[in-house]
Amino acid sequence: MNKNLTWFNVTALVLGFAFLYIPILILVIYSFNESKLVTVWGGFSTKWYASLANNQSILDAAWVTIRVGLLSASLATVLGTMAALTLDRFKKFHGRALFSGMVYAPLVMPEVITGLSLLLLFVAIGFDRGFWTVTIAHTTLTMCFVAVVVQSRLVTFDRSLEEAALDLGCPPFKTFFIITLPLILPGVVAGWMLAFTLSLDDLVIASFSTGPGATTLPIKIYSMVRLGVTPEINAVSSILIGVIALGVVAASIVTNRAEKERERAERAAFAQG
């Protein structure tokens, strides 16, 4: 056995994972419960998943969540990539520390504070809360995560490729799209997936910035839980867990493949040199 892998470490790891994932596993199992009582197993059934197709309020909330997630993730990816490029390429400029702090502030700031500040902003400027305010709020929340992912990719970026393209007469704007963007694309895609996942999962900030006709799925689930947990809630929660898990796995796969391709390219360049 590995010297660093003691029985104490294994036990602590198992207990930690059990504490985190056993409740989720129980929720998924009871989403297939025939009984209306969530604590009493009445047999295996998929009727609660079928009933979701007839629940228009949940379908509307899911559609709002998907639209908000797609749009906010796309906006956050563009803004986060620009911020990462600025921080990576311009090491010294007036206000860099302030700009960096503002970009990364949502990473450490409590979501309650972020949501409340956005609510006060929307009220102050007279912006009616609804779909667009939730989209803006989620873009603000997720942009910093995209910036972190893309900047980590730019750290290992070979600037000589850009310099070669510029020396050959390629304009800077075109160089970015034909040289830089394809090379950092795995990081950009991983950042988009992470932003989309965070948008799907958010409850606190959305509850501050939402309005009539813009109820997201987490808010809908929370309002249903306050009236009592039903197997239908377990079913919709299980679907949401599955979507988020797929997003996280996909982002991890993209990042790992990008890292392997980078290492392979470095080994090939070293062998040729």
Side-chain angles (χ1 to χ4, degrees), residues 76 80 102-107 139-149:
M102 293 177 65
V103 169
Y104 297 132
L107 284 171
T139 302
T140 303
L141 170 67
T142 58
M143 183 187 70
C144 56
F145 292 92
V146 177
V148 170
V149 174

Side-chain angles (χ1 to χ4, degrees), residues 75 83 178 180 196 232:
L75 292 174
I178 67 174
T180 308
F196 181 71
E232 191 175 28

Side-chain angles (χ1 to χ4, degrees), residues 1-79:
M1 177 178 291
N2 192 326
K3 293 187 297 182
N4 296 324
L5 194 63
T6 63
W7 288 112
F8 176 80
N9 293 337
V10 172
T11 303
L13 185 64
V14 171
L15 291 177
F17 277 109
F19 178 79
L20 290 173
Y21 293 109
I22 285 181
I24 297 177
L25 180 61
I26 293 175
L27 182 147
V28 174
I29 292 174
Y30 274 90
S31 68
F32 296 98
N33 188 10
E34 173 71 24
S35 173
K36 291 184 178 181
L37 301 176
V38 294
T39 58
V40 178
W41 181 257
F44 181 85
S45 175
T46 59
K47 69 176 184 179
W48 301 111
Y49 288 90
S51 67
L52 292 177
N54 299 321
N55 193 324
Q56 191 60 42
S57 62
I58 291 181
L59 294 178
D60 292 340
W63 177 234
V64 170
T65 301
I66 292 174
R67 287 189 296 151
V68 169
L70 292 174
L71 186 56
S72 64
S74 300
L75 292 174
T77 300
V78 174
L79 296 175

